[in-house]
Amino acid sequence: AQSVTQLGSHVSVSEGALVLLRCNYSSSVPPYLFWYVQYPNQGLQLLLKYTTGATLVKGINGFEAEFKKSETSFHLTKPSAHMSDAAEYFCAVSGPGGYNKLIFGAGTRLAVHP
Amino acid sequence: SQTIHQWPATLVQPVGSPLSLECTVEGTSNPNLYWYRQAAGRGLQLLFYSVGIGQISSEVPQNLSASRPQDRQFILSSKKLLLSDSGFYLCAWMPSATEAFFGQGTRLTVV
């Protein structure tokens, strides 16, 4: 079975500071990994995903994530936070075979203060 | 083009009333469909998935049920809502393990 753990349900950063949201996964098959963002009262938007190939993945809005198999991690980073980055972020995992289920972490709410 | 529709967007229902949320997909056939719920302060929990007409798998025991009456239609139902059924419900379609499309979601408040 696959699972995702997001460390820190709430993260607060200053505008301009580094954003680091942590995600660790468990999977018995090579994982496909995703980061989604949910703005207040809206649906999910894909930030980036890792399937195969380059382990450093660049996404929208200046975010990037690195797949580290040895650490079973897929942490999300952004060099400089903007006020507009305040939202809830979800890490998710799926894998080949089975029924393509997408399993989400519990989410991390990012607050950005001036 | 391929799209996924989910309605209604918001819903306020009294305790004990029935529920029916509908999700439809366009531009594909035999899609894998999923229902997720996000309760207040919690993450997205997979409730049900379906790989074809009449084929439903439940991920967690609960007060809800799902049905797949047509190839591109996935319905989430309840005979009697509980306060704990309040939350944000999302329908999803996954053409493959590396791609997912989501509906706009339904915010359900049970009062």
Side-chain angles (χ1 to χ4, degrees):
Chain A
Q2 295 174 313
S3 65
V4 173
T5 302
Q6 290 184 241
L7 297 176
S9 59
H10 290 81
V11 171
S12 181
V13 300
S14 300
E15 192 173 20
L18 171 71
V19 175
L20 171 60
L21 304 182
R22 299 178 186 274
C23 172
N24 288 88
Y25 69 91
S26 173
S27 178
S28 58
V29 297
Y32 302 136
L33 295 158
F34 308 77
W35 275 101
Y36 287 90
V37 61
Q38 184 184 35
Y39 297 103
N41 298 315
Q42 294 189 26
L44 292 180
Q45 181 180 9
L46 178 67
L47 278 176
L48 49 81
K49 64 181 177 182
Y50 167 79
T51 54
T52 59
T55 56
L56 181 61
V57 181
K58 295 186 183 298
I60 61 172
N61 301 338
F63 285 94
E64 63 181 36
E66 187 171 11
F67 169 57
K68 293 187 177 180
K69 184 178 179 180
S70 61
E71 299 178 6
T72 62
S73 69
F74 191 57
H75 302 330
L76 182 70
T77 60
K78 182 174 180 177
S80 176
H82 294 166
M83 297 295 289
S84 59
D85 293 327
E88 187 149 25
Y89 292 80
F90 293 97
C91 182
V93 64
S94 71
Y99 296 113
N100 301 337
K101 286 187 284 185
L102 192 59
I103 305 301
F104 287 88
T108 297
R109 186 166 298 277
L110 175 67
V112 182
H113 51 87
Chain B
S1 63
Q2 301 157 329
T3 56
I4 179 168
H5 301 281
Q6 182 183 344
W7 67 92
T10 60
L11 194 57
V12 179
Q13 292 283 102
V15 169
S17 65
L19 173 73
S20 180
L21 303 182
E22 188 165 344
C23 173
T24 61
V25 180
E26 295 179 359
T28 187
S29 60
N30 199 30
N32 287 354
L33 297 174
Y34 307 80
W35 277 111
Y36 290 88
R37 176 173 63 195
Q38 182 182 20
R42 302 187 65 179
L44 281 159
Q45 184 180 36
L46 179 60
L47 302 177
F48 301 96
Y49 67 93
S50 172
V51 300
I53 295 175
Q55 299 180 63
I56 307 295
S57 295
S58 175
E59 289 288 297
V60 293
Q62 58 201 296
N63 182 45
L64 302 168
S65 62
S67 62
R68 181 90 174 256
Q70 299 181 38
D71 182 45
R72 289 173 287 179
Q73 184 184 35
F74 199 24
I75 296 173
L76 184 69
S77 304
S78 174
K79 291 182 179 179
K80 290 185 178 181
L81 283 169
L82 306 172
L83 286 175
S84 58
D85 292 324
S86 293
F88 185 68
Y89 290 83
L90 264 180
C91 179
W93 160 41
M94 290 190 73
S96 71
T98 62
E99 192 170 26
F101 297 93
F102 294 91
Q104 283 302 300
T106 298
R107 188 159 302 281
L108 171 65
T109 304
V110 183
V111 296

